[in-house]
């Protein structure tokens, strides 16, 4: 052992002396060292101390819309515009069913690692839905901006407490990302200068946009609409989008109506008091000149 020469660390098997895989040739390894320093300075995820960097983006001046683009949100079809563009949620629904089966298999193990894996899969599913909503909202805002139209949505706040669904549909209804899609469309429209408005969602899927007849029988199935008075037929989600567009046309007039000018009764700021009828000057004397 004493007669053996000391081996250099770079002369060990599997290492090439004087060769580096990353870094600047002038300063070898400095990029790798900086990356390691950043990893050491980064707070752990469990502590909730991640660095959040924000930047202010100037908003574009809002233009006057020529017309409106109505968007109807749903579960089977995530968004349907009044132009007939349909953004189906079939792929997202199929992905969530696959994730539900995997979660059931992992949850059956009842281990600590299984619980951590369930949280990881939940975050992955949320990111997938967020990406889908970003894609849809970007397309809707781009179409409205190109055609110089505004965007109209249904005001669906509190719909989770008003709507009752079957037990097998509760998980699907509770995971419906309609609120996030609305927020994405709203802030992207504001950033692009596109007018945005929310209208009353009552009976938009049962009202005929041609004659105005509203009846539950106008929608015999989920996907089909047929007016029982004038015979107008078509996809139910497209008809709902047209009704949202029509309501936005009338609502925008009231939103931009100038405030009424207050009537002034006198020259000053304080209105002039009107004397009682019995004490008015024209009743002080009778037409014959006699005192009344």
């Amino acid at each position: 052992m004493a007669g053996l020469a000391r081996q250099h660390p770079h002369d060990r098997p599997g290492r090439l002396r004087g060769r580096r895989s990353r870094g600047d040739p002038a300063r070898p390894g400095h990029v790798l060292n900086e990356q390691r320093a950043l990893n050491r300075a980064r707070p752990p995820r469990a502590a909730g101390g991640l660095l959040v960097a924000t930047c202010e983006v100037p908003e574009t001046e809002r233009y006057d819309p020529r017309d409106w683009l109505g968007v109807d949100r749903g579960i089977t079809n995530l968004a349907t515009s009044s132009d007939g563009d349909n953004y189906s949620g079939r792929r997202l629904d199929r992905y969530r069913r696959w994730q539900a089966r995997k979660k059931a298999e992992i949850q059956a193990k009842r281990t600590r690692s299984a619980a951590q894996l369930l949280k990881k899969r939940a975050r992955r599913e949320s990111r997938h839905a967020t990406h889908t909503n970003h894609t849809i909202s970007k397309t809707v805002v781009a179409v409205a901006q190109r055609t110089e139209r505004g965007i109209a949505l249904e005001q669906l706040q509190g719909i989770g407490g008003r709507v009752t669904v079957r037990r097998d549909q509760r998980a699907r209804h509770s995971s419906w990302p309609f609120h996030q899609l609305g927020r994405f469309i709203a802030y992207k429209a504001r950033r692009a200068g596109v007018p945005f408005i929310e209208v009353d969602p009552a009976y938009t899927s049962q009202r005929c946009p041609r004659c105005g007849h509203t009846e539950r029988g106008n929608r015999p199935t989920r996907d089909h609409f047929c007016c029982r008075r004038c015979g107008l037929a078509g996809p139910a989600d497209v008809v709902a989008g047209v009704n949202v567009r029509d309501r936005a046309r009338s609502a925008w007039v009231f939103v931009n109506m100038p405030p009424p000018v207050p009537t002034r009764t006198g020259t000053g700021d304080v209105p002039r008091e009107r004397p009682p009828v019995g004490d008015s000057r024209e009743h002080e004397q009778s037409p014959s000149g006699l005192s009344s």
Side-chain angles (χ1 to χ4, degrees), residues 91-163:
R91 294 185 59 184
L92 180 61
D93 192 19
R94 184 167 59 247
Y95 176 79
R96 282 181 168 169
R97 289 199 304 267
W98 177 77
Q99 286 283 5
R101 290 195 299 268
K102 292 298 181 181
K103 288 179 183 179
E105 296 175 1
I106 297 173
Q107 196 171 6
K109 298 181 179 180
R110 299 175 179 269
T111 59
R112 182 178 299 179
S113 60
Q116 295 176 355
L117 187 57
L118 286 175
K119 294 180 180 180
K120 183 178 179 181
R121 283 189 171 272
R123 291 194 298 266
R124 183 183 301 174
E125 183 179 351
S126 177
R127 290 194 302 267
H128 183 79
T130 302
H131 172 73
T132 303
N133 286 334
H134 270 300
T135 305
I136 296 174
S137 60
K138 186 184 299 184
T139 306
V140 171
V141 173
V143 171
Q145 186 180 19
R146 186 176 66 249
T147 57
E148 297 184 0
R149 289 183 292 177
I151 299 176
L153 296 181
E154 295 172 308
Q155 193 174 6
L156 299 179
Q157 282 78 5
I159 192 174
R162 299 194 306 264
V163 178

Side-chain angles (χ1 to χ4, degrees), residues 13-278:
R15 299 289 297 272
L16 297 178
R17 187 174 182 180
R19 299 293 299 274
R20 295 181 183 272
S21 58
R22 296 181 61 181
D24 189 2
R27 293 183 299 171
H30 83 286
V31 177
L32 185 60
N33 294 334
E34 291 179 359
Q35 184 66 31
R36 289 174 179 173
L38 289 175
N39 292 336
R40 288 193 299 268
R42 181 180 301 171
R45 181 182 294 271
L50 292 177
L51 177 64
V52 178
T54 60
C55 62
E56 295 183 0
V57 179
E59 297 181 2
T60 308
E61 185 178 358
R62 191 179 64 182
Y63 56 83
D64 293 331
R66 295 182 176 179
D67 200 0
W68 289 91
L69 179 66
V71 179
D72 176 71
R73 289 171 288 177
I75 299 179
T76 304
N77 297 323
L78 298 180
T80 305
S81 68
S82 55
D83 294 343
D85 298 329
N86 184 20
Y87 305 94
S88 176
R90 186 176 302 175
R91 294 185 59 184
L92 180 61
D93 192 19
R94 184 167 59 247
Y95 176 79
R96 282 181 168 169
R97 289 199 304 267
W98 177 77
Q99 286 283 5
R101 290 195 299 268
K102 292 298 181 181
K103 288 179 183 179
E105 296 175 1
I106 297 173
Q107 196 171 6
K109 298 181 179 180
R110 299 175 179 269
T111 59
R112 182 178 299 179
S113 60
Q116 295 176 355
L117 187 57
L118 286 175
K119 294 180 180 180
K120 183 178 179 181
R121 283 189 171 272
R123 291 194 298 266
R124 183 183 301 174
E125 183 179 351
S126 177
R127 290 194 302 267
H128 183 79
T130 302
H131 172 73
T132 303
N133 286 334
H134 270 300
T135 305
I136 296 174
S137 60
K138 186 184 299 184
T139 306
V140 171
V141 173
V143 171
Q145 186 180 19
R146 186 176 66 249
T147 57
E148 297 184 0
R149 289 183 292 177
I151 299 176
L153 296 181
E154 295 172 308
Q155 193 174 6
L156 299 179
Q157 282 78 5
I159 192 174
R162 299 194 306 264
V163 178
T164 303
V165 295
R166 299 192 307 268
R167 184 174 182 179
D168 57 343
Q169 297 290 332
R170 290 176 184 174
R172 184 183 183 188
H173 185 267
S174 61
S175 61
W176 179 27
F178 69 94
H179 184 64
Q180 186 186 61
L181 178 60
R183 287 191 294 107
F184 287 173
I185 293 178
Y187 93 81
K188 291 180 189 296
R190 185 172 62 251
R191 189 174 60 183
V194 178
F196 176 81
I197 192 173
E198 290 184 335
V199 299
D200 185 13
Y203 305 108
T204 53
S205 61
Q206 301 177 11
R207 179 183 180 274
C208 177
R210 177 190 292 174
C211 64
H213 177 64
T214 304
E215 184 183 347
R216 182 176 295 180
N218 290 344
R219 191 173 181 178
T221 61
R222 197 207 65 82
D223 297 328
H224 187 66
F225 179 90
C226 182
C227 181
R228 303 186 66 177
R229 175 181 293 179
C230 66
L232 177 67
D237 293 336
V238 177
V239 172
V242 173
N243 286 327
V244 172
R245 180 199 64 188
D246 295 342
R247 292 186 181 183
R249 290 174 178 174
S250 58
W252 186 253
V253 177
F254 292 98
V255 169
N256 293 283
M257 181 180 297
V261 179
T263 58
R264 303 180 65 180
T265 57
T267 57
D269 295 333
V270 180
R272 186 175 56 187
E273 294 182 359
R274 183 183 179 92
V277 176

